Amino acid sequence: MKKLLIATTALVAGASAATADVTISGYGRFGLQYVEDRGTDLENTIISSRLRLNVDATTETDVGVTFGARLRLQYDDGDTQTNGNAARFSVGYEGLTVQVGNVDTAWDSVGLTYDSEMGYEDSSFGDSVNPFFAYNSKSQNSGYQGVAATYSIADVNLYFSYIDPDQYVADLNGPLSSFSHGIAGVGVKEEIGLAADWSNGQISVAAAINLNSAGIADFDTYFIGGAYNFGDGNVGLNYYNYDDSVDDVSQVTLYGNYTFGATTLKAYVSDLDLSGADTAYGIGADYSLGEGARLSGAIQSGFAGQTVADVGVRFDF
């Protein structure tokens, strides 16, 4: 991804030196979004857009340890202003990176889980339907705090994350806690995630466990996926299990894509083992415009039978 270099080298005292960089990266997207029966007195078709700017600052010490931080600015259609978010800090050495603050969680970072997404908005009903904590693009509860670690060796990536919804209070269910699901009888706990993925370029596998997902006590979720790349495309299968101590629900998503020239065709089908849920599916296509830009479109049908569609442009920088 192309990045705008704002500052490059900073010298430290003596003969040793540390390199410091501040970069801006992100993407923009805009186009038409259709949601069937969006709501009473609401338009089904709107112009949907997003501009995201990531501001990353890093410095590398003379012994090879990298310290970093990220802030994000984001505007989505319907916002009254561009919004910032909470900071993420990191320290990395060789294959290990540790994050503190508004961290990337294990469940949200593991490979394959988002590979069924399509359209210029990169969406899919085949994604995991359970709530979970993730890097937050906009402002958060001031007590939210996370610690995460990623270790990469050869073709294997290992992930760990721990999220405290409100670190300032001793009892997350107490009256002083600023975090609440607003659901009677639902307890709050810290979320703990573990995940791993591996790929040799042709075969990819991934798995994850999320305990107390989204801070909901005893809501544990599981994921395993596999994919095969046959050169001009790939096919994959993702399995999710959601166990909230009352229900045990599973979801299976089969997806694939095929590229010829500048065009990539995409499709998926997802089954949710829940009473009354329809089978979800989607078809879409991307057309590469070069230099990180693409024209994309998709039409999808959700678990409630609703139809959504989008067509537009996305460009990365």
Side-chain angles (χ1 to χ4, degrees):
M1 181 183 298
K2 290 186 175 181
K3 295 184 178 180
L4 173 63
L5 186 61
I6 297 180
T8 53
T9 306
L11 299 178
V12 296
S16 62
T19 59
D21 294 314
V22 178
T23 60
I24 297 177
S25 63
Y27 68 82
R29 71 186 191 199
F30 58 90
L32 295 177
Q33 177 200 77
Y34 170 82
V35 177
E36 183 182 20
D37 299 327
R38 188 187 294 270
T40 303
D41 298 326
L42 296 178
E43 289 284 355
N44 289 342
T45 302
I46 64 171
I47 297 175
S48 177
S49 63
R50 169 180 290 175
L51 176 61
R52 173 179 291 178
L53 299 176
N54 297 317
V55 182
D56 291 285
T58 62
T59 183
E60 183 177 340
T61 70
D62 54 352
V63 295
V65 178
T66 300
F67 292 90
R70 164 174 285 194
L71 286 173
R72 174 173 289 176
L73 300 173
Q74 183 163 307
Y75 170 83
D76 293 289
D77 60 275
D79 290 346
T80 58
Q81 61 184 12
T82 300
N83 296 285
N85 71 343
R88 185 190 73 193
F89 302 93
S90 65
V91 56
Y93 182 71
E94 295 185 344
L96 176 65
T97 300
V98 177
Q99 300 179 351
V100 177
N102 183 11
V103 302
D104 298 311
T105 62
W107 186 270
D108 193 48
S109 300
V110 69
L112 301 182
T113 187
Y114 293 119
D115 282 12
S116 68
E117 293 186 337
M118 58 182 56
Y120 82 98
E121 294 186 308
D122 295 314
S123 66
S124 171
F125 290 104
D127 288 348
S128 172
V129 299
N130 72 297
F132 55 89
F133 289 130
Y135 179 82
N136 196 309
S137 295
K138 299 182 180 179
S139 59
Q140 294 171 296
N141 158 28
S142 60
Y144 180 97
Q145 192 68 218
V147 177
T150 303
Y151 182 68
S152 299
I153 180 171
D155 299 321
V156 177
N157 299 304
L158 304 175
Y159 308 88
F160 164 80
S161 61
Y162 167 89
I163 304 296
D164 189 335
D166 192 340
Q167 67 167 347
Y168 294 118
V169 299
D171 183 5
L172 289 172
N173 296 292
L176 295 179
S177 177
S178 60
F179 180 87
S180 173
H181 289 287
I183 304 174
V186 174
V188 181
K189 287 186 178 180
E190 296 88 348
E191 180 191 271
I192 298 174
L194 294 169
D197 56 49
W198 169 87
S199 178
N200 65 1
Q202 186 174 33
I203 298 174
S204 300
V205 293
I209 299 173
N210 219 33
L211 305 179
N212 307 316
S213 194
I216 303 173
D218 303 320
F219 181 32
D220 302 332
T221 58
Y222 308 89
F223 160 70
I224 186 169
Y228 176 73
N229 187 317
F230 53 85
D232 292 329
N234 71 346
V235 61
L237 184 68
N238 289 340
Y239 172 80
Y240 303 93
N241 181 264
Y242 316 119
D243 185 4
D244 64 359
S245 75
V246 176
D247 296 315
D248 190 356
V249 177
S250 61
Q251 178 186 359
V252 179
T253 301
L254 175 66
Y255 64 90
N257 62 63
Y258 181 76
T259 300
F260 55 96
T263 302
T264 299
L265 301 179
K266 299 182 176 183
Y268 75 86
V269 59
S270 186
D271 181 73
L272 184 64
D273 182 23
L274 188 65
S275 178
D278 293 340
T279 298
Y281 59 87
I283 55 173
D286 296 341
Y287 183 81
S288 175
L289 303 173
E291 297 298 325
R294 58 179 163 90
L295 175 65
S296 300
I299 182 168
Q300 305 177 58
S301 179
F303 296 113
Q306 75 276 35
T307 298
V308 301
D310 66 65
V311 60
V313 173
R314 169 170 167 150
F315 53 96
D316 299 328
F317 51 85

